[in-house]
Amino acid sequence: MSGGGLLVAGTTSDAGKSVVTAGICRWLVRQGVKVAPFKAQNMSLNSFVTREGAEIGRAQAMQAQACRIEPTALMNPVLLKPGGEQSSQVVLLGKPVGELSARGYHGGRQQQLLGTVLECLAELRGTYDAVICEGAGSPAEINLRRTDIVNMGIARNAGLPVLVVGDIDRGGVFASFFGTVALLSEEDQRLVAGFLVNKFRGDVSLLDPGLDMLHGLTGRHTYGVLPFRHGLGIDEEDGMGVRNSRASAPVGEDVLRVAVCAVPLMSNFTDVDALAAEPGVVVRFVDRPEELADADLVIVPGTRGTVRALDWLHERGLADALVRRAAEGRPVLGICGGFQILGEHIEDEVESRQGHVDGLGVLPVRVRFAREKTLTRPVGEALGEQVEGYEIHHGVASVTSGEPFLDGCRVGQTWGTHWHGSLESDGFRRAFLREVAAAAGRRFVPAPDTSFAALREEQLDRLGDLIEQHADTDALWRLIESGAPQGLPFIPPGAPA
């Protein structure tokens, strides 16, 4: 017998689908329900490697953590990793299967993947009491409905009830709710059970008349109004987005300033979240050389376009600033693509297909791009501390000298590694920050008790609290267990022919 299910859709991208899905998962698992997350198709440059060596979206990995289970490829069978304006790498069941243009993907390839997606969902539903699915963008993208496998396409084929989330902080949420339903076909509308308002500020009683009118117009209930809360986002999907942080009070006398180069196609910029969580560490994303002047540490992050990012650094004047900085013995850390950029040269016939390209030459590393992608979860030691990470890259690095550092190397105060997530290891992060502070001449002291894993758990519990305290959980459970209510009215005009 299949377990229950729910699809969390949204009126727009960034309406809060990922957060609501994680919150429902955490609420359910606290009720003793065996639950798993699912997203049929994800477009993201922030990805994660499962223990079996499969690449999935980081949001699904965090949602699995909300469920207190290990993430697997079943939870995100299709991952699209943009490589530019026109094409993406298609990752199927955790492994790359090729590059496709948007026209080629939506023109036929996407629909071919529907069977695989449904099989993964069915396997999860056969294993868990409930599967909470996340949609993508809006279910009312009428230009894409014919080939949709992540919103109403998956809901219709799997018989899932749909909850539509709207971000009221943006304004226009009532029109967005009504319009989303009214642009769906009659068959799809039967599955849209109701709405969830997200990011509300103020007195909820002032919203009640609007919710009553929305019910009158659509025949659908609102299942909750979630208040606006700062700092509740889980790992973002948008590889082009950047986040800034404000440091809490430092333990020592100084703060530590970290500048992250906002390279094109930036991937896994979540690597710096653990730094931003440290009291006294200020993280900002930069795109001008003068912004490096007062930085105690500069990070060149991962990217899906190493050569393109290298060109961008040259065009912006950041390349020369990084070379000068390394020569002066001021701390620089390159992660994955950033590590490759800091090397001597790159041989790339896979990603950019530009052949031989000179790197910045500040690390004794030569990189050759292989067609097969490295997907591993390494464990090691650095600065006397245990470190865990994950690797996602086509570039194979040959280190010719320098001091070993997490399968990469270190020369002076310039460090490079392919390991994502290493800074989440608390002991290593503290040791690394002490080195950076000493080199920068800062009287900065890492907090002795910051646990990044514990902070993640607190964040997920806060999401569970939001659902438990501000959603109609009894009605939500009925949806998950029994499906959409019968007799939901059709709202014209419906989907265009």
Side-chain angles (χ1 to χ4, degrees):
M1 179 179 173
S2 291
L6 174 70
L7 176 70
V8 178
T11 55
T12 62
S13 295
D14 202 33
K17 295 183 292 292
S18 296
V19 165
V20 168
T21 300
I24 293 174
C25 287
R26 178 48 61 100
W27 160 65
L28 284 172
V29 80
R30 293 195 309 206
Q31 309 309 307
V33 177
K34 189 179 176 186
V35 59
F38 180 79
K39 185 161 185 172
Q41 171 197 295
N42 201 344
M43 178 171 279
S44 178
L45 285 168
N46 283 334
S47 57
F48 184 74
V49 180
T50 67
R51 294 210 178 275
E52 68 267 30
E55 185 179 9
I56 65 171
R58 273 196 70 96
Q60 279 61 65
M62 284 295 294
Q63 289 162 356
Q65 186 176 339
C67 298
R68 298 183 177 139
I69 57 176
E70 276 290 327
T72 73
L74 292 174
M75 298 170 187
N76 179 207
V78 181
L79 174 64
L80 305 178
K81 303 194 73 177
E85 295 297 323
Q86 299 294 329
S87 67
S88 294
Q89 183 180 66
V90 181
V91 179
L92 180 61
L93 293 175
K95 303 296 180 184
V97 294
E99 297 272 341
L100 273 180
S101 67
R103 181 176 293 275
Y105 183 69
H106 291 288
R109 177 60 169 155
Q110 183 181 34
Q111 189 65 19
Q112 294 169 11
L113 298 173
L114 179 60
T116 300
V117 162
L118 290 171
E119 287 170 7
C120 292
L121 177 57
E123 187 170 341
L124 288 173
R125 293 182 78 181
T127 305
Y128 292 90
D129 301 328
V131 178
I132 308 304
C133 308
E134 179 188 343
S138 161
E141 306 288 2
I142 55 179
N143 56 316
L144 302 177
R145 176 61 187 91
R146 183 177 60 83
T147 57
D148 169 50
I149 65 169
V150 64
N151 290 304
M152 300 314 299
I154 192 80
R156 184 189 292 185
N157 279 278
L160 294 172
V162 178
L163 185 69
V164 180
V165 178
D167 178 357
I168 197 170
D169 199 47
R170 293 183 174 191
V173 75
F174 293 115
S176 298
F177 281 146
F178 182 86
T180 296
V181 178
L183 280 177
L184 299 177
S185 69
E186 187 169 3
E187 187 176 2
D188 285 346
Q189 285 193 26
R190 290 193 201 108
L191 297 170
V192 179
F195 313 107
L196 187 73
V197 176
N198 193 28
K199 302 181 189 177
F200 179 72
R201 304 173 192 249
D203 184 347
V204 176
S205 66
L206 299 176
L207 196 62
D208 287 340
L211 300 179
D212 291 340
M213 285 185 270
L214 182 66
H215 177 252
L217 288 166
T218 67
R220 289 157 174 87
H221 291 285
T222 296
Y223 284 73
V225 178
L226 307 186
F228 186 96
R229 293 286 188 267
H230 288 285
L232 283 183
I234 66 173
D235 293 356
E236 296 180 24
E237 296 177 357
D238 181 6
M240 302 305 291
V242 295
R243 290 172 291 178
N244 295 323
S245 76
R246 290 185 179 179
S248 52
V251 175
E253 297 179 40
D254 283 347
V255 298
L256 206 64
R257 297 173 176 83
V258 179
V260 184
C261 297
V263 297
L265 298 174
M266 184 167 43
S267 62
N268 287 70
F269 57 84
T270 49
D271 282 332
V272 302
D273 283 356
L275 295 180
E278 280 286 344
V281 175
V282 182
V283 179
R284 66 184 190 273
F285 290 82
V286 304
D287 59 6
R288 298 193 304 272
E290 56 268 27
E291 293 178 290
L292 305 188
D294 68 343
D296 303 306
L297 169 66
V298 174
I299 295 178
V300 189
T303 170
R304 248 284 278 161
T306 299
V307 172
R308 178 176 167 183
L310 179 58
D311 290 341
W312 181 87
L313 290 169
H314 281 294
E315 291 163 7
R316 293 274 178 159
L318 285 160
D320 289 341
L322 286 166
V323 171
R324 284 196 303 273
R325 184 181 179 91
E328 293 166 359
R330 302 179 67 199
V332 177
L333 171 64
I335 302 173
C336 200
F339 168 42
Q340 297 164 8
I341 284 168
L342 296 177
E344 295 168 348
H345 73 250
I346 300 165
E347 200 69 38
D348 182 11
E349 299 291 351
V350 175
E351 198 173 74
S352 70
R353 298 183 175 86
Q354 290 192 29
H356 179 89
V357 178
D358 288 332
L360 298 187
V362 296
L363 287 177
V365 177
R366 299 173 181 177
V367 176
R368 176 185 57 81
F369 274 65
R371 297 205 174 274
E372 186 174 344
K373 183 184 283 190
T374 298
L375 296 167
T376 63
R377 291 272 293 270
V379 177
E381 185 177 310
L383 303 180
E385 300 285 348
Q386 290 295 308
V387 188
E388 295 183 17
Y390 58 99
E391 295 186 58
I392 305 170
H393 55 91
H394 284 279
V396 179
S398 298
V399 179
T400 57
S401 62
E403 182 183 337
F405 173 68
L406 300 180
D407 291 344
C409 67
R410 170 189 183 180
V411 174
Q413 291 301 320
T414 302
W415 320 62
T417 177
H418 272 134
W419 291 23
H420 293 291
S422 62
L423 294 167
E424 295 180 19
S425 297
D426 297 328
F428 166 71
R429 181 180 65 255
R430 288 192 274 270
F432 178 69
L433 289 175
R434 282 192 289 269
E435 289 250 356
V436 169
R442 294 281 185 191
R443 288 176 291 186
F444 168 84
V445 178
D449 55 355
T450 302
S451 167
F452 189 68
L455 289 173
R456 286 288 200 197
E457 277 296 302
E458 285 177 25
Q459 186 183 41
L460 293 169
D461 275 331
R462 289 174 69 198
L463 293 178
D465 292 343
L466 269 187
I467 299 298
E468 189 168 333
Q469 295 167 12
H470 300 282
D472 185 344
T473 52
D474 289 339
L476 268 182
W477 178 246
R478 285 195 296 273
L479 271 189
I480 293 166
E481 194 174 38
S482 305
Q486 296 297 305
L488 292 170
F490 171 71
I491 309 301

